[in-house]
Amino acid sequence: MSIKEIFQSMDYGPAPESAAEALAWIAAHGGRFGGFIDGAFSEPGETFVTRNPATEEALAEVTRATQADVDRAVAAARAAQPGWAALGGHGRARVLYAIARLLQKQSRLFAVLETLDNGKPIRESRDIDVPLAIRHFYHHAGYAELMETELADRAPLGVCGQVIPWNFPLLMLAWKVAPALAMGNTVVLKPAEYTSLTALLFADLCRQAGVPKGVVNIVTGDGAVGEMVVKADVEKVAFTGSTAVGRIIREATAGTGKALTLELGGKSPYVVFEDADLDSAVEGLVDAIWFNQGQVCCAGSRLLVQEGVADAFHRKLKARMDKLRIGDPLDKAIDIGAVVDPVQLATITRLVDANTEGERYVAPCPLPARGAFYPPTFITGLSPAAPLMQEEIFGPVLVSTTFRTPAEAVELANNTRYGLAATVWTENVNLALDIAPRLMAGVVWVNGTNMFDAAAPFGGVRESGFGREGGWEGLTAYTRPAREVGEPLKPVEPFAGEGAPVDPLDRTHKLYIGGKQARPDGGYSRPVWSPEGDLLGHASLANRKDLRNAVEAANAARAWGRTTGHARAQILYFLAENLSARAAEFARRIDGLTSRGGAEEVEASIRTLFRWAAWADKVDGRAAGAPFRGVALAMREPVGTIGVLCDDRSPLLGLVATLAPAIALGNRAILVASEPFPLAATDFYQVLETSDVPSGVVNILTGSHGELAPVLASHLDIDAVWSFSSQPLARTIEAKSAGNLKRTWVETRARDWTRPDDRSFIEAATEVKTVWIPYGE
Ligand code: NAI
């Protein structure tokens, strides 16, 4: 282009970044890579080609790891872990700091290699992916340093298997590796098959940073290698990727005792109210859906605009689309690069072409003659149920609809099976902060979008997965309690007998559903005997229908989650008071059921109610300071409806100790009472009835844990399942929970309920919602 032409068109000239250094690094490895195991690159085995999706040229050959490779990597990680943990927080902080420094020094090389392998614009890899990865290591060097004092009661898990996707290859590696290492774990990480190169370059960097051998291991390959990592002898599996694979992993790890976090897909709403600064909202939308070609799990892919400004907003958006530049990702002046692979290009094309509704607007910039390019696309006029409104496209395709009122905006925004992120644009602070809590999403951005920081927890609800990455909250996922207490749980059998009824009026205790005592649907009950073999009464056997009724009642009581902590505390105190008034009666009941310390159990139950009354208005959340103009409020919200299989050993305390934290923190509970000793729970109905607990907030069933566990775990309207049952139910509960990817907590050790473990319950009874708001200059 001549200078005259440039002056005439005022167009950008090409500003390509050189690929020479990155290609030289590949060449220095002979263009073929083995995995990185026990501190060294192994000889390449059977390889596959990794290509530059923008040019279709081969970049390198990468090894498809074998089972033996994965086993060797896990063994190396296992051997290295005690030494790495023993290095202490400060020792690990030094190593993480060295990683951060070296990443910073080599940031251009990492950015170019990322762009070559993934197709994302160099502007993004240079200004976003790599700086955020660096920030993650710096920030986590700090957590390592502080672990011994601030997390004194936590210990590393051991070896972590980590499987990551191709959309942010280096950044996702940083999100996984930094917290794991900071907390004293070692890792076996599998990058996605399309984008292994920056992980291998990172392996090179680990050697320079003095990471002890075996602490970081990288195995490359496709989903089959991912499966091997998931099934390996590891203490934790961390996965980011599609919801479909997340489900497979949930099932594969069920009952293995492995900790699991899943960061899955989304269809995140981008809500523009009529008083928004429309130009800023358009700019935000460019970052929401065209950042990384829309291959972002939290992409603002569903535009919801208030009707009054919809036409104006659409016009502005289309005008902005007309200016988007698509082309060589290494060109510093382009906006849109290549999608990761022709396979992904075909997926996007198929999804969009199958749509017959609405109107499609395509950015006019010509596409390069070759390479996996898809033009920015905007589709209006879709019905809420249209597949494109519901399915994750994972490409540069925005779909849109309009709304009239804020209430309708919330309804449309939440009309999805996902719950990863949401964006709200309005100049009205009251409106923004009214809407944010009502959105079902793990992250909400106000007047901004796609902001991330190491200090701010990130993660989803519903089918977007569970667990958080980043911040203090993300560290829990890489630690366990420092002291394992309690013996492994052993099944507790009910007493048998054939004696006469203790009370001549033999009663059948009902169920407690929606604030009322209800006869069991099946009409069955079972006798409950004392240790001496006397008949104490009959307990109803709840079935699937009773459980469904309980879920309906619980869901009708959603308003409980919006009550204040202060109000909930009052009710818990009232429960304690009413239980206290009947302490002697309950103590006799427990003695009759188990012949063990009834009075102590009642006393401990009253204390537990006081304890959770205390917590009800003190689970505060926090404000994380991100290094730019905003704060991220990490708010703790109730999980929703929690199904609980109660401890079999303690008829009353096992019920109260789970009911209290659940409802104190705003959840509704469906509790299945101790199976062998259900009658203290049935007596508790009367305490509930006299204590102002709104109907539906607490529902109690009696019956078989084994039969009810799979029903609880597979019910789509239950948000979490906890089991303290003495039955070995982990496998069933965890596998069945894969349907709606509900959170599960299956305890395998006998808890001492008199030793408070409030933190575990606060974690389990709340979700962290990170709300980003503009703040400061
Ligand atoms: P994917 O979920 O199959 O791949 C992610 C990672 O999981 C890769 O490392 C892959 O090798 C591995 N993997 C695949 N199957 C596995 C298995 N059975 N066990 C263990 N690991 C396994 O994602 P894919 O197929 O590359 O993309 C398909 C769709 O997934 C995309 O169109 C997009 O909708 C979604 N996706 C979402 C991501 C997110 O961050 N939420 C990231 C990548 C893809």
Side-chain angles (χ1 to χ4, degrees):
M1 199 186 263
S2 71
I3 292 183
K4 186 172 168 207
E5 280 168 341
I6 291 173
F7 269 103
Q8 273 168 355
S9 71
M10 288 305 280
D11 208 352
Y12 292 93
E17 176 78 32
S18 166
E21 293 274 329
L23 295 175
W25 175 78
I26 294 173
H29 282 262
R32 297 179 81 223
F33 291 86
F36 182 75
I37 300 173
D38 206 16
F41 282 99
S42 43
E43 281 301 310
E46 186 201 330
T47 58
F48 60 95
V49 175
T50 185
R51 292 179 188 279
N52 177 344
T55 62
E56 298 166 10
E57 282 160 9
L59 286 169
E61 284 177 53
V62 178
T63 294
R64 181 174 290 117
T66 60
Q67 185 65 54
D69 294 332
V70 174
D71 291 347
R72 213 157 58 78
V74 173
R78 171 82 51 220
Q81 197 271 326
W84 176 243
L87 201 56
H90 177 65
R92 295 196 302 274
R94 281 178 172 243
V95 174
L96 287 167
Y97 170 72
I99 293 176
R101 285 287 296 136
L102 281 166
L103 259 181
Q104 210 161 21
K105 276 196 203 162
Q106 300 174 21
S107 59
R108 195 52 73 96
L109 174 60
F110 271 95
V112 173
L113 190 65
E114 195 76 305
T115 285
L116 284 174
D117 205 11
N118 169 281
K120 61 174 70 205
I122 185 74
R123 211 165 44 83
E124 292 178 6
S125 47
R126 183 194 63 196
D127 298 346
I128 298 169
D129 295 55
V130 176
L132 282 175
I134 294 167
R135 159 98 178 127
H136 223 76
F137 280 102
Y138 273 124
H139 194 71
H140 282 81
Y143 289 130
E145 184 73 42
L146 299 176
M147 184 181 179
E148 276 139 35
T149 52
E150 301 307 307
L151 298 167
D153 57 342
R154 308 297 289 181
L157 285 165
V159 178
C160 303
Q162 307 180 318
V163 178
I164 58 171
W166 38 258
N167 52 348
F168 293 93
L170 179 71
L171 184 58
M172 287 303 105
L173 173 148
W175 281 24
K176 297 277 182 284
V177 171
L181 263 49
M183 297 293 104
N185 305 278
T186 54
V187 304
V188 176
L189 175 128
K190 191 199 82 67
E193 50 272 45
Y194 302 140
T195 54
S196 311
L197 294 181
T198 46
L200 294 166
L201 177 58
F202 179 80
D204 238 353
L205 180 147
C206 285
R207 293 196 295 195
Q208 299 159 36
V211 177
K213 68 188 178 87
V215 169
V216 172
N217 304 274
I218 312 258
V219 289
T220 48
D222 56 11
V225 183
E227 259 177 67
M228 293 176 204
V229 171
V230 167
K231 295 206 171 117
D233 173 28
V234 294
E235 277 75 32
K236 177 191 166 80
V237 173
F239 172 76
T240 299
S242 60
T243 296
V245 173
R247 269 204 187 95
I248 293 172
I249 293 178
R250 172 67 288 188
E251 283 171 6
T253 54
T256 61
K258 291 175 189 170
L260 177 66
T261 44
L262 297 174
E263 209 70 81
L264 309 175
K267 188 78 183 176
S268 300
Y270 188 98
V271 187
V272 180
F273 286 99
E274 59 194 5
D275 64 356
D277 172 348
L278 294 189
D279 293 314
S280 299
V282 165
E283 251 354 270
L285 198 44
V286 171
D287 287 337
I289 185 63
W290 292 309
F291 170 48
N292 202 21
Q293 294 67 248
Q295 303 164 121
V296 182
C297 49
C298 51
S301 53
R302 238 171 0 119
L303 170 64
L304 310 176
V305 199
Q306 199 157 12
E307 226 169 62
V309 293
D311 288 343
F313 190 76
H314 290 169
R315 256 196 320 278
K316 281 176 186 281
L317 181 62
K318 288 175 185 167
R320 183 67 179 87
M321 287 174 73
D322 294 348
K323 298 270 184 246
L324 290 173
R325 293 165 51 88
I326 308 158
D328 175 9
L330 278 179
D331 184 336
K332 285 171 244 172
I334 71 111
D335 302 303
I336 312 283
V339 298
V340 71
D341 190 87
V343 170
Q344 186 63 14
L345 182 67
T347 306
I348 300 167
T349 311
R350 181 173 39 77
L351 277 168
V352 175
D353 290 354
N355 171 58
T356 50
E357 277 186 43
E359 267 175 56
R360 190 195 305 190
Y361 186 79
V362 178
C365 181
L367 299 184
R370 62 183 185 144
F373 290 91
Y374 195 91
T377 300
F378 173 40
I379 305 176
T380 47
L382 292 172
S383 57
L388 287 190
M389 288 296 275
Q390 294 293 333
E391 298 302 320
E392 184 178 43
I393 303 173
F394 228 64
V397 182
L398 176 69
V399 296
S400 149
T401 192
T402 58
F403 65 88
R404 290 189 179 159
T405 61
E408 198 191 345
V410 170
E411 202 176 301
L412 283 169
N414 291 341
N415 180 14
T416 165
R417 60 201 169 94
Y418 295 113
L420 192 49
T423 302
V424 178
W425 287 84
T426 168
E427 290 297 289
N428 179 346
V429 65
N430 300 318
L431 181 62
L433 299 182
D434 174 44
I435 297 294
R438 295 201 268 149
L439 295 170
M440 304 247 199
V443 183
V444 176
W445 292 293
V446 174
N447 292 339
T449 202
N450 269 345
M451 290 180 280
F452 312 99
D453 184 56
F458 180 91
V461 296
R462 306 209 258 188
E463 292 186 27
S464 293
F466 45 76
R468 293 291 177 268
E469 295 188 304
W472 291 100
E473 295 80 359
L475 299 176
T476 319
Y478 284 97
T479 58
R480 60 172 174 78
R483 273 179 304 282
E484 293 279 21
V485 285
E487 294 295 308
L489 274 165
K490 285 201 255 344
V492 180
E493 300 300 334
F495 297 112
E498 45 192 24
V502 175
D503 181 345
L505 285 178
D506 171 20
R507 275 203 315 135
T508 299
H509 297 255
K510 294 184 188 146
L511 310 172
Y512 186 70
I513 298 175
K516 292 198 212 52
Q517 300 200 21
R519 265 182 238 301
D521 169 70
Y524 289 104
S525 59
R526 76 157 183 90
V528 179
W529 306 97
S530 74
E532 295 77 31
D534 299 321
L535 183 64
L536 297 173
H538 282 81
S540 298
L541 292 174
N543 66 13
R544 161 184 304 269
K545 175 78 168 49
D546 299 308
L547 182 70
R548 279 207 298 269
N549 292 342
V551 174
E552 233 168 76
N555 286 344
R558 270 179 217 286
W560 178 249
R562 294 192 292 275
T563 54
T564 63
H566 174 72
R568 294 195 296 266
Q570 302 308 303
I571 288 182
L572 282 153
Y573 283 127
F574 202 18
L575 275 170
E577 190 185 319
N578 287 333
L579 179 58
S580 181
R582 306 172 73 159
E585 182 192 322
F586 271 92
R588 268 198 309 279
R589 167 63 90 189
I590 295 166
D591 290 339
L593 281 164
T594 66
S595 299
R596 279 198 312 259
E600 290 82 18
E601 190 171 330
V602 176
E603 184 53 32
S605 302
I606 294 167
R607 265 180 167 244
T608 302
L609 288 166
F610 261 75
R611 197 160 180 94
W612 287 102
W615 271 122
D617 58 357
K618 292 175 193 66
V619 175
D620 288 333
R622 69 186 178 96
F628 43 92
R629 192 183 156 260
V631 287
L633 305 176
M635 310 292 288
R636 293 219 171 240
E637 295 191 341
V639 170
T641 296
I642 302 178
V644 187
L645 296 157
C646 295
D647 189 343
D648 285 319
R649 299 163 309 146
S650 319
L652 179 68
L653 185 54
L655 176 93
V656 168
T658 49
L659 170 160
I663 69 169
L665 302 181
N667 301 282
R668 290 89 63 188
I670 299 170
L671 303 116
V672 185
S674 159
E675 183 172 338
F677 315 125
L679 299 188
T682 56
D683 293 347
F684 197 71
Y685 302 166
Q686 286 155 33
V687 177
L688 289 165
E689 279 161 358
T690 51
S691 303
D692 295 344
V693 179
S695 56
V697 171
V698 176
N699 305 276
I700 299 176
L701 307 179
T702 52
S704 156
H705 287 184
E707 277 171 32
L708 292 170
V711 190
L712 272 178
S714 55
H715 199 297
L716 296 179
D717 272 339
I718 294 181
D719 303 292
V721 172
W722 302 347
S723 174
F724 302 93
S725 173
S726 67
Q727 304 293 323
L729 294 169
R731 193 182 174 76
T732 305
I733 291 174
E734 291 172 359
K736 294 279 179 194
S737 71
N740 69 345
L741 288 161
K742 60 173 67 66
R743 293 170 63 184
T744 58
W745 175 15
V746 183
E747 184 61 79
T748 53
R749 286 175 182 269
R751 279 192 161 249
D752 176 357
W753 295 106
T754 60
R755 289 168 61 116
D757 176 19
D758 303 344
R759 184 176 163 147
S760 300
F761 281 92
I762 291 171
E763 292 284 339
T766 58
E767 295 282 6
V768 176
K769 177 186 270 183
T770 305
V771 183
W772 289 74
I773 53 171
Y775 189 78
E777 289 178 42

